[in-house]
Amino acid sequence: MIAHSDTNYVHEPIRLRDNSDRTARGNVSDGALIAAIARGDQQAMRRLYERHSLRVYRFARRLGADHSAAEDLVSEVFLDVWRSAGAFEGRAQVSTWLIGDYCVTRG
């Protein structure tokens, strides 16, 4: 099951080069998270998963995947993110990139 919890993780700071990668509310931007993931930052991966896993899951369900298949696809998409974060070029929003990966994974 897709779980979101603020208490399950050791909260370590995500390594940013400077504060320009923060949103107006002080959150780390998705692009900065992807860059940190490309450097092997597991906390950044957790944050990105917490932000976007439900969106990918709901997208899969809207396209007809049952609960179990949708969860499997979410896992596959985020495994692909971990493996290929360095390939993200920033030409689209991260959420669009994730959904595009879902479509390729499902294809």
Side-chain angles (χ1 to χ4, degrees), residues 6 9-23 26-52 82:
D6 292 331
Y9 305 116
V10 175
H11 291 283
E12 300 169 5
I14 295 171
R15 298 177 301 271
L16 298 177
R17 293 192 172 94
D18 57 38
N19 284 331
S20 64
D21 290 327
R22 294 199 178 270
T23 64
N27 295 326
V28 178
S29 70
D30 287 346
L33 290 175
I34 292 292
I37 292 166
R39 294 188 306 272
D41 190 325
Q42 293 177 2
Q43 180 64 22
M45 185 67 192
R46 286 185 194 105
R47 285 245 185 109
L48 191 76
Y49 181 87
E50 288 172 352
R51 275 188 200 171
H52 294 287
W82 181 255

Side-chain angles (χ1 to χ4, degrees), residues 34-102:
I34 292 292
I37 292 166
R39 294 188 306 272
D41 190 325
Q42 293 177 2
Q43 180 64 22
M45 185 67 192
R46 286 185 194 105
R47 285 245 185 109
L48 191 76
Y49 181 87
E50 288 172 352
R51 275 188 200 171
H52 294 287
S53 61
L54 188 58
R55 177 177 290 134
V56 174
Y57 173 83
R58 287 179 178 164
F59 184 77
R61 290 299 305 258
R62 278 195 304 270
L63 293 180
D66 66 20
H67 172 73
S68 184
E71 284 191 335
D72 287 347
L73 285 165
V74 168
S75 294
E76 290 176 27
V77 164
F78 282 93
L79 182 58
D80 286 347
V81 167
W82 181 255
R83 290 177 177 160
S84 63
F88 179 70
E89 297 175 355
R91 292 184 296 180
Q93 291 183 358
V94 171
S95 58
T96 304
W97 186 61
L98 293 171
I99 296 300
D101 187 66
Y102 163 82

